[in-house]
Coordinates of all heavy atoms in Angstrom, one line a residue:
H1 N 0.8 -1.2 0.0 CA 0.0 0.0 0.0 C 0.9 1.2 0.0 O 1.7 1.4 0.9 CB -0.9 0.0 1.2 CG -1.6 1.3 1.4 ND1 -2.7 1.7 0.6 CD2 -1.4 2.3 2.3 CE1 -3.1 2.9 1.0 NE2 -2.4 3.3 2.0
I2 N 0.7 2.1 -1.0 CA 1.4 3.4 -1.0 C 0.4 4.5 -0.9 O -0.6 4.5 -1.6 CB 2.2 3.5 -2.4 CG1 3.2 2.4 -2.4 CG2 2.8 4.9 -2.5 CD1 4.0 2.4 -3.7
P3 N 0.6 5.4 0.0 CA -0.3 6.5 0.3 C -0.4 7.4 -0.9 O 0.4 7.4 -1.8 CB 0.3 7.2 1.5 CG 1.7 6.9 1.5 CD 1.8 5.5 0.9
P4 N -1.4 8.3 -0.9 CA -1.6 9.2 -2.1 C -0.4 10.2 -2.3 O -0.3 10.7 -3.4 CB -2.9 10.0 -1.8 CG -3.4 9.5 -0.5 CD -2.4 8.5 0.1
T5 N 0.4 10.5 -1.3 CA 1.5 11.4 -1.5 C 2.8 10.6 -1.6 O 3.1 9.8 -0.6 CB 1.6 12.4 -0.3 OG1 0.4 13.1 -0.2 CG2 2.7 13.4 -0.5
F6 N 3.5 10.7 -2.7 CA 4.7 9.9 -2.9 C 5.6 10.6 -3.9 O 5.1 11.5 -4.6 CB 4.4 8.5 -3.3 CG 3.6 8.4 -4.5 CD1 4.2 8.3 -5.8 CD2 2.2 8.3 -4.5 CE1 3.5 8.2 -6.9 CE2 1.5 8.2 -5.6 CZ 2.1 8.2 -6.9
E7 N 6.8 10.2 -4.0 CA 7.8 10.7 -4.9 C 8.2 9.6 -5.9 O 8.3 8.5 -5.5 CB 9.0 11.3 -4.2 CG 8.8 12.4 -3.2 CD 10.0 12.7 -2.3 OE1 11.0 12.1 -2.5 OE2 9.8 13.6 -1.5
V8 N 8.5 10.0 -7.1 CA 8.9 9.0 -8.1 C 10.2 9.5 -8.7 O 10.4 10.6 -9.0 CB 7.9 8.9 -9.3 CG1 8.3 8.0 -10.4 CG2 6.5 8.5 -8.7
Y9 N 11.1 8.5 -8.8 CA 12.5 8.7 -9.3 C 12.7 7.7 -10.5 O 12.4 6.6 -10.3 CB 13.5 8.5 -8.2 CG 13.4 9.5 -7.1 CD1 12.6 9.3 -6.1 CD2 14.3 10.6 -7.1 CE1 12.5 10.3 -5.0 CE2 14.2 11.6 -6.1 CZ 13.3 11.4 -5.1 OH 13.2 12.3 -4.0
V10 N 13.3 8.2 -11.5 CA 13.8 7.4 -12.6 C 15.3 7.5 -12.7 O 15.8 8.6 -12.9 CB 13.1 7.8 -14.0 CG1 13.8 6.9 -15.1 CG2 11.6 7.5 -13.9
S11 N 16.0 6.4 -12.4 CA 17.4 6.4 -12.3 C 18.0 7.5 -11.4 O 19.0 8.1 -11.7 CB 18.0 6.5 -13.7 OG 17.6 5.4 -14.5
G12 N 17.3 7.7 -10.3 CA 17.8 8.6 -9.3 C 17.3 10.1 -9.5 O 17.7 10.9 -8.7
V13 N 16.6 10.4 -10.6 CA 16.2 11.7 -10.9 C 14.7 11.9 -10.6 O 13.9 11.1 -11.1 CB 16.4 12.1 -12.4 CG1 15.9 13.5 -12.7 CG2 17.9 11.9 -12.7
R14 N 14.4 12.8 -9.7 CA 13.0 13.0 -9.3 C 12.1 13.4 -10.5 O 12.5 14.3 -11.3 CB 12.9 14.0 -8.2 CG 11.5 14.1 -7.6 CD 11.4 14.8 -6.3 NE 10.0 14.8 -5.9 CZ 9.6 15.5 -4.9 NH1 10.5 16.2 -4.2 NH2 8.4 15.5 -4.5
Q15 N 11.0 12.8 -10.6 CA 10.0 13.0 -11.6 C 8.9 13.9 -11.1 O 8.5 13.7 -10.0 CB 9.5 11.7 -12.2 CG 10.6 10.8 -12.7 CD 11.4 11.3 -13.8 OE1 10.9 11.5 -14.9 NE2 12.6 11.6 -13.6
Q16 N 8.3 14.7 -12.0 CA 7.2 15.6 -11.6 C 5.9 15.0 -12.1 O 5.7 14.8 -13.3 CB 7.4 17.0 -12.1 CG 8.6 17.7 -11.6 CD 8.6 17.9 -10.1 OE1 7.6 18.3 -9.5 NE2 9.7 17.6 -9.5
P17 N 4.9 14.8 -11.1 CA 3.6 14.3 -11.6 C 2.9 15.3 -12.5 O 3.1 16.5 -12.4 CB 2.8 14.2 -10.3 CG 3.5 15.0 -9.2 CD 4.9 15.1 -9.7
G18 N 2.3 14.8 -13.5 CA 1.6 15.6 -14.5 C 2.5 16.0 -15.7 O 2.0 16.3 -16.8
R19 N 3.8 16.1 -15.4 CA 4.8 16.4 -16.5 C 5.5 15.2 -16.9 O 5.6 14.9 -18.1 CB 5.7 17.5 -16.0 CG 6.7 17.9 -17.1 CD 7.8 18.9 -16.6 NE 8.8 18.0 -15.8 CZ 9.7 18.5 -15.0 NH1 9.8 19.8 -14.9 NH2 10.5 17.8 -14.4
D20 N 6.1 14.4 -16.0 CA 6.9 13.3 -16.3 C 6.2 12.0 -16.2 O 6.6 11.0 -16.8 CB 8.1 13.2 -15.3 CG 9.0 14.5 -15.4 OD1 9.3 14.9 -16.6 OD2 9.4 15.0 -14.4
F21 N 5.1 11.9 -15.5 CA 4.3 10.7 -15.3 C 2.9 11.1 -14.9 O 2.6 12.2 -14.4 CB 4.9 9.7 -14.3 CG 4.8 10.2 -12.9 CD1 3.8 9.8 -12.1 CD2 5.8 11.0 -12.4 CE1 3.7 10.2 -10.8 CE2 5.7 11.5 -11.0 CZ 4.6 11.0 -10.2
E22 N 2.0 10.1 -15.1 CA 0.6 10.2 -14.6 C 0.3 9.0 -13.8 O 0.9 7.9 -14.0 CB -0.4 10.2 -15.8 CG -0.2 11.4 -16.7 CD -0.7 12.7 -16.1 OE1 -1.6 12.7 -15.2 OE2 -0.3 13.8 -16.6
V23 N -0.7 9.1 -12.9 CA -1.1 7.9 -12.1 C -2.4 7.5 -12.7 O -3.4 8.2 -12.8 CB -1.3 8.3 -10.6 CG1 -1.8 7.1 -9.9 CG2 0.0 8.8 -10.1
E24 N -2.5 6.2 -13.1 CA -3.7 5.6 -13.7 C -4.0 4.4 -12.8 O -3.3 3.3 -13.0 CB -3.6 5.3 -15.1 CG -3.5 6.5 -16.0 CD -3.4 6.2 -17.5 OE1 -3.6 5.0 -17.9 OE2 -3.2 7.1 -18.3
G25 N -5.0 4.5 -11.9 CA -5.3 3.3 -11.0 C -4.1 3.1 -10.1 O -3.7 3.9 -9.4
R26 N -3.5 1.9 -10.3 CA -2.4 1.5 -9.4 C -1.1 1.5 -10.3 O -0.1 1.0 -9.9 CB -2.6 0.1 -8.9 CG -3.7 0.1 -7.9 CD -3.9 -1.3 -7.3 NE -2.7 -2.1 -7.0 CZ -2.2 -2.1 -5.8 NH1 -2.7 -1.5 -4.8 NH2 -1.1 -2.9 -5.6
S27 N -1.1 2.2 -11.4 CA 0.1 2.2 -12.3 C 0.6 3.7 -12.5 O -0.2 4.6 -12.5 CB -0.3 1.7 -13.7 OG -0.7 0.4 -13.6
L28 N 1.9 3.7 -12.7 CA 2.5 5.0 -13.1 C 2.7 4.9 -14.6 O 3.2 3.9 -15.1 CB 3.9 5.1 -12.5 CG 3.9 5.2 -10.9 CD1 5.4 5.2 -10.5 CD2 3.2 6.4 -10.4
V29 N 2.2 5.9 -15.3 CA 2.3 5.9 -16.8 C 3.2 7.1 -17.2 O 3.0 8.2 -16.9 CB 0.9 6.1 -17.4 CG1 1.0 6.1 -18.9 CG2 0.0 4.9 -17.0
F30 N 4.3 6.7 -18.0 CA 5.2 7.7 -18.4 C 5.0 8.0 -19.9 O 4.8 7.0 -20.7 CB 6.7 7.1 -18.2 CG 7.0 7.0 -16.8 CD1 6.7 5.8 -16.1 CD2 7.7 8.0 -16.1 CE1 7.0 5.7 -14.8 CE2 8.0 7.8 -14.8 CZ 7.7 6.7 -14.1
P31 N 5.1 9.2 -20.3 CA 4.8 9.6 -21.7 C 5.9 9.1 -22.7 O 5.8 9.1 -23.9 CB 4.7 11.1 -21.7 CG 5.4 11.5 -20.5 CD 5.3 10.4 -19.5
R32 N 7.1 8.8 -22.1 CA 8.2 8.4 -22.9 C 8.5 6.9 -22.6 O 8.2 6.4 -21.5 CB 9.5 9.3 -22.7 CG 10.0 9.1 -21.2 CD 11.2 10.0 -21.1 NE 11.8 9.9 -19.8 CZ 12.7 9.0 -19.4 NH1 13.2 8.1 -20.3 NH2 13.2 9.0 -18.2
E33 N 9.2 6.3 -23.5 CA 9.6 4.9 -23.2 C 10.8 4.9 -22.3 O 11.7 5.6 -22.4 CB 10.0 4.3 -24.6 CG 10.2 2.8 -24.4 CD 10.5 2.1 -25.8 OE1 10.0 2.7 -26.8 OE2 11.2 1.1 -25.8
L34 N 10.7 4.0 -21.3 CA 11.8 3.8 -20.4 C 12.6 2.6 -20.9 O 12.1 1.6 -21.3 CB 11.3 3.5 -19.0 CG 10.5 4.7 -18.3 CD1 10.0 4.3 -17.0 CD2 11.3 5.9 -18.3
A35 N 13.9 2.7 -20.8 CA 14.8 1.7 -21.3 C 15.1 0.7 -20.2 O 15.4 1.0 -19.1 CB 16.1 2.3 -21.8
E36 N 15.0 -0.6 -20.6 CA 15.3 -1.7 -19.7 C 16.2 -2.6 -20.4 O 15.9 -3.1 -21.4 CB 14.0 -2.4 -19.2 CG 14.2 -3.4 -18.2 CD 12.9 -4.0 -17.7 OE1 11.9 -4.1 -18.4 OE2 12.9 -4.4 -16.5
E37 N 17.4 -2.9 -19.7 CA 18.3 -3.8 -20.4 C 17.8 -5.2 -20.3 O 17.3 -5.7 -19.3 CB 19.6 -3.8 -19.6 CG 20.7 -4.6 -20.2 CD 22.0 -4.4 -19.5 OE1 22.1 -4.6 -18.3 OE2 23.0 -4.2 -20.2
G38 N 17.8 -5.8 -21.5 CA 17.3 -7.2 -21.6 C 18.3 -8.2 -21.1 O 19.4 -7.8 -20.5
K39 N 18.1 -9.5 -21.2 CA 19.0 -10.5 -20.8 C 20.2 -10.5 -21.7 O 20.2 -10.2 -22.9 CB 18.3 -11.9 -20.9 CG 17.2 -12.1 -20.0 CD 16.7 -13.5 -20.1 CE 15.6 -13.7 -19.0 NZ 15.0 -15.1 -19.1
L40 N 21.4 -10.8 -21.1 CA 22.6 -10.8 -21.8 C 22.7 -12.1 -22.6 O 22.5 -13.2 -22.0 CB 23.8 -10.7 -20.9 CG 23.9 -9.4 -20.1 CD1 25.1 -9.5 -19.1 CD2 24.1 -8.2 -21.1
G41 N 23.2 -12.0 -23.8 CA 23.4 -13.2 -24.6 C 24.8 -13.8 -24.2 O 25.6 -13.2 -23.4
F42 N 25.0 -15.1 -24.7 CA 26.2 -15.8 -24.2 C 27.5 -15.0 -24.6 O 28.4 -14.9 -23.8 CB 26.2 -17.2 -24.9 CG 27.5 -17.9 -24.6 CD1 27.7 -18.5 -23.3 CD2 28.5 -18.0 -25.5 CE1 28.9 -19.1 -23.0 CE2 29.7 -18.6 -25.3 CZ 29.9 -19.2 -24.0
I43 N 27.6 -14.5 -25.8 CA 28.8 -13.8 -26.2 C 29.1 -12.6 -25.4 O 30.2 -12.3 -24.9 CB 28.7 -13.4 -27.7 CG1 28.7 -14.7 -28.6 CG2 29.9 -12.5 -28.1 CD1 28.5 -14.5 -30.0
R44 N 28.1 -11.7 -25.1 CA 28.2 -10.6 -24.3 C 28.6 -11.0 -22.8 O 29.5 -10.4 -22.2 CB 27.0 -9.7 -24.3 CG 27.2 -8.4 -23.4 CD 26.1 -7.4 -23.7 NE 26.2 -6.7 -24.9 CZ 26.9 -5.6 -25.2 NH1 27.6 -5.1 -24.2 NH2 26.9 -5.1 -26.3
W45 N 27.9 -12.0 -22.3 CA 28.2 -12.5 -20.9 C 29.7 -13.0 -20.9 O 30.4 -12.6 -19.9 CB 27.2 -13.6 -20.6 CG 27.5 -14.1 -19.2 CD1 27.0 -13.6 -18.0 CD2 28.3 -15.2 -18.9 NE1 27.5 -14.4 -17.0 CE2 28.3 -15.4 -17.5 CE3 29.1 -16.1 -19.6 CZ2 29.0 -16.4 -16.8 CZ3 29.8 -17.1 -19.0 CH2 29.7 -17.3 -17.6
A46 N 30.1 -13.8 -21.9 CA 31.4 -14.3 -21.9 C 32.5 -13.2 -22.0 O 33.5 -13.2 -21.3 CB 31.6 -15.3 -23.0
S47 N 32.2 -12.2 -22.8 CA 33.2 -11.1 -23.0 C 33.3 -10.3 -21.7 O 34.4 -9.8 -21.4 CB 32.8 -10.2 -24.2 OG 31.7 -9.5 -23.9
M48 N 32.2 -10.1 -21.0 CA 32.3 -9.5 -19.7 C 33.1 -10.3 -18.7 O 33.9 -9.8 -17.9 CB 30.9 -9.2 -19.1 CG 30.2 -8.0 -19.9 SD 28.5 -7.8 -19.4 CE 28.5 -7.9 -17.7
W49 N 32.8 -11.6 -18.7 CA 33.5 -12.5 -17.7 C 35.0 -12.5 -18.0 O 35.8 -12.6 -17.1 CB 32.9 -13.9 -17.9 CG 33.4 -14.9 -16.8 CD1 33.1 -14.9 -15.5 CD2 34.4 -15.9 -17.0 NE1 33.8 -15.9 -14.9 CE2 34.6 -16.5 -15.8 CE3 35.1 -16.3 -18.1 CZ2 35.5 -17.6 -15.6 CZ3 36.0 -17.4 -18.0 CH2 36.1 -18.0 -16.8
L50 N 35.4 -12.5 -19.3 CA 36.8 -12.5 -19.6 C 37.4 -11.1 -19.5 O 38.6 -11.0 -19.6 CB 36.9 -13.0 -21.1 CG 36.6 -14.5 -21.3 CD1 36.6 -14.8 -22.8 CD2 37.5 -15.4 -20.5
G51 N 36.6 -10.1 -19.2 CA 37.2 -8.7 -19.0 C 37.5 -8.0 -20.3 O 38.2 -7.0 -20.4
I52 N 36.9 -8.5 -21.4 CA 37.1 -7.9 -22.7 C 36.3 -6.7 -22.9 O 36.7 -5.7 -23.5 CB 36.8 -9.0 -23.9 CG1 37.8 -10.1 -23.7 CG2 36.9 -8.3 -25.2 CD1 37.5 -11.3 -24.6
A53 N 35.0 -6.8 -22.5 CA 34.1 -5.7 -22.6 C 33.1 -5.7 -21.5 O 32.9 -6.6 -20.8 CB 33.3 -5.8 -24.0
G54 N 32.5 -4.5 -21.3 CA 31.4 -4.4 -20.3 C 30.1 -4.2 -21.0 O 30.0 -4.4 -22.2
T55 N 29.1 -3.9 -20.2 CA 27.8 -3.7 -20.8 C 27.5 -2.2 -20.6 O 27.6 -1.6 -19.5 CB 26.7 -4.6 -20.1 OG1 25.4 -4.3 -20.7 CG2 26.6 -4.4 -18.6
Y56 N 27.1 -1.6 -21.7 CA 26.9 -0.1 -21.7 C 25.5 0.2 -22.2 O 25.2 1.3 -22.7 CB 27.9 0.6 -22.5 CG 29.3 0.3 -22.0 CD1 30.1 -0.6 -22.7 CD2 29.8 0.9 -20.9 CE1 31.4 -0.9 -22.2 CE2 31.0 0.6 -20.4 CZ 31.8 -0.3 -21.0 OH 33.1 -0.6 -20.6
R57 N 24.6 -0.7 -22.1 CA 23.2 -0.5 -22.6 C 22.5 0.4 -21.6 O 22.8 0.4 -20.4 CB 22.5 -1.8 -22.7 CG 23.0 -2.7 -23.7 CD 22.3 -4.0 -23.7 NE 22.9 -5.0 -24.6 CZ 22.6 -6.2 -24.6 NH1 21.6 -6.7 -23.8 NH2 23.2 -7.1 -25.4
K58 N 21.6 1.2 -22.1 CA 20.8 2.1 -21.2 C 19.8 1.2 -20.4 O 19.2 0.4 -20.9 CB 20.0 3.1 -22.1 CG 19.4 4.2 -21.2 CD 18.8 5.3 -22.1 CE 18.3 6.4 -21.3 NZ 17.7 7.5 -22.1
H59 N 19.8 1.5 -19.1 CA 18.9 0.8 -18.2 C 18.4 1.8 -17.2 O 19.1 2.4 -16.4 CB 19.6 -0.3 -17.5 CG 18.8 -1.1 -16.6 ND1 17.8 -2.0 -17.0 CD2 18.7 -1.1 -15.2 CE1 17.2 -2.5 -16.0 NE2 17.7 -2.0 -14.9
E60 N 17.1 2.0 -17.2 CA 16.5 3.0 -16.3 C 15.7 2.2 -15.2 O 15.0 1.2 -15.5 CB 15.5 4.0 -17.0 CG 16.3 4.8 -18.0 CD 15.4 5.7 -18.8 OE1 14.6 5.2 -19.6 OE2 15.6 6.9 -18.7
T61 N 15.8 2.7 -14.0 CA 15.0 2.1 -12.9 C 14.0 3.0 -12.3 O 14.2 4.3 -12.4 CB 16.0 1.6 -11.7 OG1 16.7 2.8 -11.3 CG2 17.0 0.6 -12.2
V62 N 12.9 2.5 -11.8 CA 11.9 3.4 -11.3 C 11.8 3.0 -9.8 O 11.6 1.9 -9.4 CB 10.5 3.1 -12.0 CG1 9.4 3.9 -11.3 CG2 10.6 3.4 -13.4
D63 N 11.8 4.1 -9.0 CA 11.7 4.0 -7.5 C 10.6 4.9 -7.0 O 10.4 6.0 -7.5 CB 13.0 4.3 -6.8 CG 14.2 3.6 -7.4 OD1 14.1 2.4 -7.6 OD2 15.3 4.2 -7.6
V64 N 9.9 4.4 -6.0 CA 8.8 5.2 -5.4 C 9.2 5.4 -3.9 O 9.5 4.4 -3.2 CB 7.4 4.6 -5.5 CG1 6.4 5.3 -4.8 CG2 7.1 4.4 -7.0
V65 N 9.2 6.6 -3.4 CA 9.5 7.0 -2.0 C 8.2 7.5 -1.4 O 7.6 8.4 -1.9 CB 10.6 8.0 -2.0 CG1 10.9 8.4 -0.5 CG2 11.9 7.5 -2.7
Y66 N 7.9 7.0 -0.2 CA 6.7 7.4 0.5 C 7.0 7.3 2.0 O 8.0 6.7 2.5 CB 5.5 6.6 0.1 CG 5.6 5.1 0.4 CD1 5.1 4.6 1.5 CD2 6.3 4.3 -0.5 CE1 5.2 3.2 1.8 CE2 6.4 2.9 -0.3 CZ 5.9 2.4 0.9 OH 6.0 1.1 1.1
E67 N 6.0 7.8 2.8 CA 6.1 7.7 4.2 C 5.0 6.8 4.8 O 3.9 6.9 4.4 CB 6.0 9.1 4.9 CG 6.5 9.2 6.3 CD 6.7 10.6 6.8 OE1 7.4 11.4 6.1 OE2 6.1 10.9 7.8
S68 N 5.4 6.0 5.7 CA 4.5 5.0 6.3 C 4.9 4.8 7.8 O 6.0 4.5 8.1 CB 4.5 3.7 5.6 OG 3.7 2.7 6.2
G69 N 3.9 5.1 8.7 CA 4.2 5.0 10.1 C 5.3 5.9 10.6 O 6.0 5.5 11.5
G70 N 5.5 7.0 9.9 CA 6.5 7.9 10.3 C 7.9 7.6 9.8 O 8.9 8.2 10.1
R71 N 8.0 6.6 9.0 CA 9.2 6.1 8.4 C 9.2 6.4 6.9 O 8.2 6.1 6.2 CB 9.5 4.7 8.7 CG 9.7 4.4 10.1 CD 9.9 2.9 10.4 NE 11.1 2.5 9.7 CZ 11.5 1.2 9.4 NH1 10.7 0.3 9.9 NH2 12.6 0.9 8.8
R72 N 10.4 6.8 6.4 CA 10.5 6.9 4.9 C 10.8 5.6 4.3 O 11.7 4.9 4.7 CB 11.7 7.9 4.6 CG 11.7 8.4 3.2 CD 12.6 9.6 3.2 NE 13.1 10.0 1.9 CZ 12.4 10.9 1.1 NH1 11.3 11.5 1.6 NH2 12.8 11.2 -0.1
M73 N 10.0 5.2 3.3 CA 10.0 3.9 2.7 C 10.4 4.0 1.2 O 10.0 5.0 0.6 CB 8.7 3.1 2.8 CG 8.2 3.0 4.3 SD 9.2 2.1 5.3 CE 8.8 0.4 4.8
V74 N 11.0 3.0 0.7 CA 11.4 3.1 -0.8 C 11.0 1.7 -1.4 O 11.4 0.7 -0.9 CB 12.9 3.3 -1.0 CG1 13.3 3.3 -2.4 CG2 13.3 4.6 -0.3
E75 N 10.3 1.8 -2.5 CA 10.0 0.6 -3.3 C 10.9 0.8 -4.5 O 10.8 1.8 -5.2 CB 8.6 0.6 -3.7 CG 7.6 0.3 -2.6 CD 7.7 -1.0 -1.9 OE1 8.1 -2.0 -2.6 OE2 7.5 -1.1 -0.7
T76 N 11.9 0.0 -4.7 CA 12.9 0.2 -5.7 C 12.8 -0.9 -6.8 O 12.4 -2.0 -6.6 CB 14.3 0.3 -5.1 OG1 15.2 0.6 -6.1 CG2 14.7 -1.0 -4.5
G77 N 13.3 -0.5 -8.0 CA 13.4 -1.5 -9.1 C 12.0 -2.0 -9.5 O 11.9 -3.2 -9.8
L78 N 11.0 -1.1 -9.6 CA 9.7 -1.6 -10.0 C 9.7 -2.1 -11.4 O 10.4 -1.7 -12.3 CB 8.7 -0.4 -9.9 CG 8.6 0.2 -8.5 CD1 7.6 1.4 -8.6 CD2 8.1 -0.8 -7.5
K79 N 8.9 -3.1 -11.6 CA 8.8 -3.8 -12.9 C 8.2 -2.9 -14.0 O 7.2 -2.3 -13.7 CB 8.0 -5.1 -12.8 CG 7.9 -5.9 -14.0 CD 7.1 -7.1 -13.8 CE 7.0 -7.8 -15.2 NZ 6.1 -9.0 -15.1
L80 N 8.8 -2.8 -15.1 CA 8.3 -2.0 -16.2 C 7.5 -2.9 -17.1 O 7.9 -4.0 -17.4 CB 9.5 -1.5 -17.0 CG 10.5 -0.6 -16.3 CD1 11.6 -0.1 -17.2 CD2 9.8 0.6 -15.6
T81 N 6.3 -2.4 -17.6 CA 5.5 -3.1 -18.5 C 5.1 -2.1 -19.6 O 5.1 -0.9 -19.4 CB 4.2 -3.7 -17.9 OG1 3.5 -2.6 -17.3 CG2 4.6 -4.7 -16.8
E82 N 4.8 -2.6 -20.8 CA 4.4 -1.8 -21.9 C 2.8 -1.8 -21.8 O 2.2 -2.7 -21.6 CB 4.8 -2.3 -23.2 CG 6.4 -2.2 -23.4 CD 6.8 -2.5 -24.8 OE1 6.0 -2.3 -25.7 OE2 7.9 -3.1 -24.9
G83 N 2.3 -0.6 -22.1 CA 0.9 -0.4 -22.0 C 0.2 0.0 -23.3 O 0.5 0.2 -24.3

């Protein structure tokens, strides 16, 4: 349960309601596509393991910060879905 007053962050940057996202029911809806890194293939995984290359794909995370019982709570790494 998240109260009606909360903060939303995408990759650590605070988002503004009405400008950066909307609330629809129990979902946060963003007007832009958020990037989520997919699963690594064998070749990319092996090259990282061998120290040849790293992963530099864009990956954005969504976090919600709210207060509950006088404590600041964080729900982090929320699952992204396409709508």
